[in-house]
Amino acid sequence: MDLIFPGEICLLAFRIIKNNYNFEKMNVQKKLLLSLVKSRLNILSVINPSLAAKEIFRLFCTPLIRYKGKAGAVFSNAEQIDFKLNNNIIRGYRCNHPAQKKVLLLHGFSSGCHKFEHFVDPLIAHGYEVYAFDAPAHGRSEGKMANALDYADMIKKVQADYGPFDAYIGHSFGGLAACFALESADIPANTKLVLIAPAAETTTAIDNAFNMLGLKNIKLRKMMDDEIFRISGNETSWFSIRRAIQNVHAKVLWIQDEDDVITPINDALNVKNDQHEHVDFMITSGLGHQRIYRDGNVLNAILSFLT
C-alpha cells in the first residue's frame, strides 16, 4: 500500500472508518487530536503546501505506537541478536538454532516482532529456525522514522548475515517490505512468501488518508507525490505490491480479509485478477486487519503452505 505505511494520520483516520465514520464514538482526547491534525494540515496546505506535504510524509513514516515492553516467554528464552543499519541498531531474536530450514517473521507498521510470538512454537515444531526483528524505528530497534525501503534494507541485511531463508511471513507493512526486498534478491528456487493483509498500494493509502482528513487541495496531493519522488527517485505508483510481485521469484500465499479497512480487498483482488501462477489467495471474512494473523485457521493454512 505504500512506500510508507500510513502512520499517525492514517491510523487516526482509519479509527474513524472502523467506527463506521461515527465521530461521536471517539473519546474527547482522540477527537481533539484528530481535529488538531486536520486543522494544522488544512491551514498548511493553503499557506505552504510544500511544507504541508513534508509534514504529512513525516507523519506517515512515524510509528504511532512503539512497544518497548517485556517480550513474551518465547522471545525471552530466545537468542538475542542485533546489527547496525544506517547508524541505527536493529534488534531481534533467533529461535531453534541451528535447524535445516529458516523463516523470517516481519511485523506491520506501529507494531513489533512480539506480535508474532504465537507463530514461533508451531514453526519450530515444523522444523524451522525462526528469526524476528523489530523494524527500524519500531520496538527495541533504533530510529525515529521508517519507510518500506528502510524495512526492505533491513531484510536484505538479515538475508546477508543469516540467510538464505526458506520462507518469509509478513503482515501488512512487513509484507510490502518483503516484496521490495525479494524482487531484487537471488533467492533459492523453493522459497515461500506469506503475505498477510499486505499493504498493497501506496496510492490507495495516500488517497484514503487525504479523503479522511478532508484535504481537498489538489496541489498538496501532487506535492506529496513530488516529495516521495524527491526522496526515493520513484513515482508513488512504483511502490506497489502489484508491480513488485511480478519480480518475486517465490511461491506466494496471499491471505486477505474481505472486511479489512486498512488494506482494502480491492487492491488484493486486482492482483488476484492478474492470475500469476506463483501466487495463491486465501480470502477470509470478519477478521479485519489485526485478527487475521491471530486466527487459528489462518495459522494452520500458513503451516500447510510452508510444509
Side-chain angles (χ1 to χ4, degrees):
M1 188 188 273
D2 45 335
L3 157 67
I4 46 239
F5 191 66
E8 188 171 0
I9 293 177
C10 275
L11 285 174
L12 285 169
F14 285 138
R15 283 174 181 169
I16 298 177
I17 300 175
K18 285 182 179 180
N19 285 320
N20 297 317
Y21 299 94
N22 190 342
F23 192 72
E24 296 305 317
K25 289 186 178 181
M26 299 180 70
N27 63 34
V28 174
Q29 186 178 23
K30 289 179 180 178
K31 288 180 184 179
L32 288 174
L33 179 57
L34 180 57
S35 296
L36 286 172
V37 171
K38 290 175 66 174
S39 297
R40 180 182 181 188
L41 291 175
N42 274 298
I43 292 170
L44 273 178
S45 71
V46 175
I47 298 175
N48 192 332
S50 178
L51 181 59
K54 288 181 171 60
E55 178 68 3
I56 294 173
F57 185 87
R58 182 188 69 80
L59 291 173
F60 275 21
C61 296
T62 304
L64 178 64
I65 300 170
R66 185 159 185 162
Y67 180 79
K68 294 185 179 181
K70 184 178 180 181
V74 169
F75 288 139
S76 293
N77 297 324
E79 176 186 0
Q80 297 189 30
I81 50 180
D82 60 64
F83 57 87
K84 199 164 189 177
L85 178 70
N86 298 328
N87 295 318
N88 290 315
I89 301 298
I90 305 299
R91 296 185 173 91
Y93 304 93
R94 174 166 63 182
C95 309
N96 195 39
H97 174 71
Q100 290 188 340
K101 299 181 292 183
K102 296 180 181 180
V103 59
L104 177 60
L105 304 177
L106 301 162
H107 65 79
F109 196 86
S110 288
S111 184
C113 64
H114 67 286
K115 292 284 191 176
F116 271 103
E117 287 179 329
H118 62 292
F119 274 66
V120 176
D121 284 339
L123 287 167
I124 289 175
H126 282 75
Y128 281 93
E129 180 176 327
V130 181
Y131 290 75
F133 294 85
D134 287 327
H138 289 73
R140 300 183 306 118
S141 292
E142 294 180 350
K144 294 183 178 179
M145 299 193 310
N147 60 52
L149 294 185
D150 296 329
Y151 204 167
D153 286 344
M154 187 207 83
I155 295 169
K156 293 174 184 178
K157 174 66 173 173
V158 173
Q159 288 170 330
D161 290 354
Y162 302 103
F165 287 88
D166 300 272
Y168 302 78
I169 303 174
H171 174 242
S172 194
F173 181 55
L176 176 67
C179 288
F180 290 166
L182 295 183
E183 70 169 327
S184 60
D186 183 14
I187 57 178
N190 295 323
T191 301
K192 294 185 177 180
L193 169 63
V194 178
L195 301 174
I196 309 172
E201 298 294 339
T202 301
T203 301
T204 300
I206 296 175
D207 287 344
N208 286 346
F210 270 63
N211 288 336
M212 289 303 97
L213 288 169
L215 296 174
K216 306 297 185 181
N217 190 321
I218 297 175
K219 183 178 179 181
L220 174 62
R221 179 65 183 84
K222 183 182 183 302
M223 283 189 167
M224 179 66 176
D225 289 334
D226 292 343
E227 181 70 6
I228 290 174
F229 185 83
R230 183 186 69 81
I231 292 172
S232 68
N234 290 294
E235 302 288 345
T236 305
S237 59
W238 186 91
F239 297 95
S240 158
I241 289 183
R242 189 179 188 185
R243 179 203 60 77
I245 207 163
Q246 302 174 72
N247 307 315
V248 174
H249 301 294
K251 181 66 176 176
V252 179
L253 174 62
W254 185 315
I255 305 173
Q256 182 73 40
D257 193 78
E258 294 176 336
D259 303 311
D260 192 329
V261 297
I262 294 182
T263 58
I265 191 169
N266 285 343
D267 287 341
L269 292 178
N270 286 335
V271 181
K272 188 174 187 293
N273 291 336
D274 291 338
Q275 298 183 339
H276 297 292
E277 291 185 359
H278 67 300
V279 184
D280 292 329
F281 281 82
M282 174 183 176
I283 307 298
T284 63
S285 180
L287 297 177
H289 191 68
Q290 299 296 336
R291 285 189 294 154
I292 191 169
Y293 72 94
R294 301 188 184 103
D295 182 75
N297 291 330
V298 168
L299 177 57
N300 289 336
I302 291 171
L303 294 173
S304 178
F305 170 73
L306 294 181
T307 58

